[in-house]
């Protein structure tokens, strides 16, 4: 008799606990929606200015460094735009076709992979330009930078297509959630590790070459600060992937609870997403060529947008004119449009 008596208190506890978990999950998704929307809007404003400058100026759009900046900012913009839509449909609990869900995930993974690959190619490009200037000059053509960008997009598209085969995609309506992204964790972390090793090697060689040339020293604050900013920006793109993988491992072996994992994952996403929004400043507005083009061109931007960009330049580079000679020395070596040519 006693064994058949229903436990109403336990049922209420389970129901209450399930409701609380669902509320937390909705709150976490809402945070992701807001953060991805904010990141998309910020990047869109900077993309309009910087990418238009690169496309308008012939000397910029024919140089690999600025073309790769164009692809980097475009990839980041597409990533946060799709991320915004992906999280929004989860929050609204929309029923999507399996093919639509697969397309969203494919574009999201491709753009994220292309960000990483573009950063890797940017590091290798600077490594070749600084350490092998003669070979670099012989290889460079006007079409080569754009072909290099298309190559990174092609490689990035292979990754999601291999993880999410089209044979698994039907047309039935279903919920498209974050579980669909949790495929190929090991393959993803291997790709990130390989790219990280290549980037680290390239920047170490660039630093050693800069010291050999005598331009990276304690007196050249501009050059040292530029390398530091690039390293920091690379960290905010790479570190969140390792953190997410660590959380995945800890949850898999039950070292942390599901709620703690979700909380850490949301904080990780919010912090690093906002940090990634400074990429246009690090790779765009800190470059003297883009700033000069911004001041010279009569660009048809709205006054508020151009004012915001100019204020950002002044904020990040308050002593821009006073350090012009030191900046020019650095740009002619580590950050030059044309690589150094040793005397014949």
């Amino acid at each position: 008799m006693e064994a058949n008596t229903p436990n109403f208190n336990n049922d209420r506890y389970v129901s209450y606990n399930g409701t609380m978990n669902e509320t937390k999950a909705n709150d976490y998704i809402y945070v992701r929606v807001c953060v991805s929307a904010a990141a998309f809007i910020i990047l869109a404003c900077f993309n309009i200015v910087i990418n238009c400058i690169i496309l308008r100026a012939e000397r910029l759009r024919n140089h690999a460094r600025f073309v790769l900046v164009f692809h980097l900012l475009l990839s980041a913009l597409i990533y946060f735009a799709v991320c915004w839509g992906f999280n929004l449909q989860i929050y609204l609990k929309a029923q999507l076709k399996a093919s639509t869900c697969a397309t969203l995930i494919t574009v999201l993974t491709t753009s994220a992979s292309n960000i990483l690959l573009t950063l890797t190619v940017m590091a290798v490009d600077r490594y070749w330009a600084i350490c092998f200037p003669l070979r670099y000059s012989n290889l460079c053509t006007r079409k080569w930078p754009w072909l290099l960008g298309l190559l990174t997009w092609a490689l990035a598209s292979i990754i999601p297509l291999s993880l999410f085969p089209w044979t698994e995609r039907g047309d039935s309506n279903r919920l498209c959630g974050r579980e669909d992204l949790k495929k190929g964790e090991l393959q993803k972390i291997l790709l990130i590790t390989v790219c990280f090793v290549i980037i680290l090697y390239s920047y170490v060689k660039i630093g050693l070459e800069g010291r050999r040339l005598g331009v990276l020293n304690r007196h050249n604050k501009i050059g040292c600060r530029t390398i530091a900013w690039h390293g920091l920006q690379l960290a905010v793109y790479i570190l969140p992937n390792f953190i997410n993988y660590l959380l995945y491992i800890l949850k898999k072996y039950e070292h942390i609870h599901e709620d703690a994992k979700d909380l850490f994952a949301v904080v990780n996403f919010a912090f690093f997403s906002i940090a990634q929004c400074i990429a246009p400043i690090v790779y765009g507005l800190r470059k003297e060529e883009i700033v000069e083009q911004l001041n010279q061109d009569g660009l048809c931007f709205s006054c508020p947008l151009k004012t915001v960009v100019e204020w950002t330049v002044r904020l990040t580079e308050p002593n821009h004119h006073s350090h012009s000679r030191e900046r020019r020395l650095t740009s002619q070596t580590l950050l030059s449009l044309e690589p150094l040519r040793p005397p014949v």
Side-chain angles (χ1 to χ4, degrees):
M1 205 48 198
E2 218 169 288
N4 296 327
T5 304
N7 192 340
F8 293 106
N9 291 331
N10 187 53
D11 290 344
R12 285 197 201 98
Y13 174 77
V14 171
S15 176
Y16 175 77
N17 194 32
T19 305
M20 286 294 292
N21 290 337
E22 187 176 352
T23 303
K24 285 182 180 180
N26 288 335
D27 291 340
Y28 294 157
I29 292 296
Y30 181 73
V31 171
R32 289 179 182 272
V33 171
C34 293
V35 170
S36 55
F40 168 70
I41 293 170
I42 293 171
L43 284 171
C45 294
F46 283 110
N47 269 31
I48 292 173
V49 177
I50 296 174
N51 284 350
C52 282
I53 289 174
I54 293 173
L55 291 176
R56 284 167 61 95
E58 184 178 0
R59 71 188 185 110
L60 299 184
R61 69 171 180 265
N62 290 333
H63 192 270
R65 185 161 59 97
F66 294 100
V67 173
L68 290 172
V69 169
F70 175 90
H71 284 289
L72 175 66
L73 299 185
L74 181 63
S75 301
L77 184 67
I78 294 173
Y79 171 77
F80 281 110
V82 179
C83 188
W84 182 12
F86 181 76
N87 289 311
L88 183 61
Q89 63 86 26
I90 295 176
Y91 182 73
L92 298 176
K93 297 180 180 178
Q95 294 276 344
L96 299 181
K97 289 185 177 180
S99 57
T100 305
C101 178
T103 302
L104 273 176
I105 294 172
T106 300
V107 176
L108 189 64
T109 310
T110 300
S111 55
S113 302
N114 193 61
I115 291 173
L116 185 60
L117 291 173
T118 303
L119 288 170
T120 306
V121 173
M122 288 171 71
V124 174
D125 172 74
R126 287 298 87 199
Y127 164 70
W128 273 89
I130 294 163
C131 299
F132 306 99
L134 291 178
R135 294 182 186 177
Y136 184 81
S137 299
N138 293 331
L139 288 173
C140 287
T141 62
R142 290 190 174 186
K143 295 182 179 180
W144 177 74
W146 293 101
L147 292 175
L148 193 60
L150 292 175
L151 177 62
T152 61
W153 278 105
L155 291 175
S157 64
I158 294 174
I159 298 167
L161 291 177
S162 63
L163 293 177
F164 313 104
W166 285 96
T167 54
E168 297 179 2
R169 303 173 186 185
D171 290 326
S172 58
N173 292 346
R174 65 184 185 86
L175 291 174
C176 185
R178 294 191 55 79
E179 293 75 17
D180 296 291
L181 293 173
K182 297 176 181 178
K183 288 185 178 181
E185 294 289 344
L186 183 59
Q187 293 92 326
K188 292 175 186 176
I189 206 67
L190 284 175
L191 172 68
I192 295 166
T193 303
V194 170
C195 291
F196 172 71
V197 170
I198 295 173
I199 291 170
L200 183 62
Y201 175 81
S202 300
Y203 272 90
V204 168
K205 297 295 288 185
I206 289 171
L208 293 175
E209 187 68 11
R211 285 190 173 276
R212 189 183 69 82
L213 294 172
V215 294
L216 278 183
N217 50 55
R218 67 181 65 180
H219 302 294
N220 187 359
K221 295 180 181 179
I222 297 294
C224 296
R225 195 182 302 148
T226 298
I227 296 296
W229 272 107
H230 281 211
L232 180 64
Q233 190 61 28
L234 288 168
V236 301
Y237 274 112
I238 294 174
L239 277 178
N241 298 284
F242 285 108
I243 293 174
N244 284 331
Y245 186 69
L246 178 62
L247 292 174
Y248 167 77
I249 293 297
L250 292 175
K251 171 61 180 63
K252 182 178 179 180
Y253 292 99
E254 299 182 350
H255 293 298
I256 59 173
H257 195 264
E258 182 72 25
D259 292 341
K261 175 186 175 294
D262 292 341
L263 177 60
F264 283 126
V266 168
V267 172
N268 178 51
F269 175 81
F271 176 78
F272 285 104
S273 294
I274 298 302
Q276 288 169 13
C277 290
I278 67 172
I281 300 173
V282 173
Y283 293 108
L285 298 181
R286 285 183 60 85
K287 300 197 183 307
E288 188 177 8
E289 297 85 358
I290 290 181
V291 174
E292 288 177 354
Q293 201 70 32
L294 176 66
N295 295 329
Q296 292 173 6
D297 285 356
L299 297 175
C300 54
F301 300 133
S302 61
C303 291
L305 180 57
K306 188 173 181 181
T307 302
V308 169
V309 174
E310 290 175 345
W311 175 80
T312 306
V313 173
R314 290 194 298 270
L315 183 66
T316 55
E317 296 293 335
N319 302 319
H320 175 75
H321 297 291
S322 62
H323 292 294
S324 59
R325 182 180 179 278
E326 185 179 3
R327 181 185 297 277
R328 192 174 296 110
L329 177 63
T330 303
S331 66
Q332 288 173 352
T333 52
L334 295 182
L335 304 172
S336 62
L337 279 174
E338 296 295 335
L340 289 176
R341 298 175 184 270
V344 180

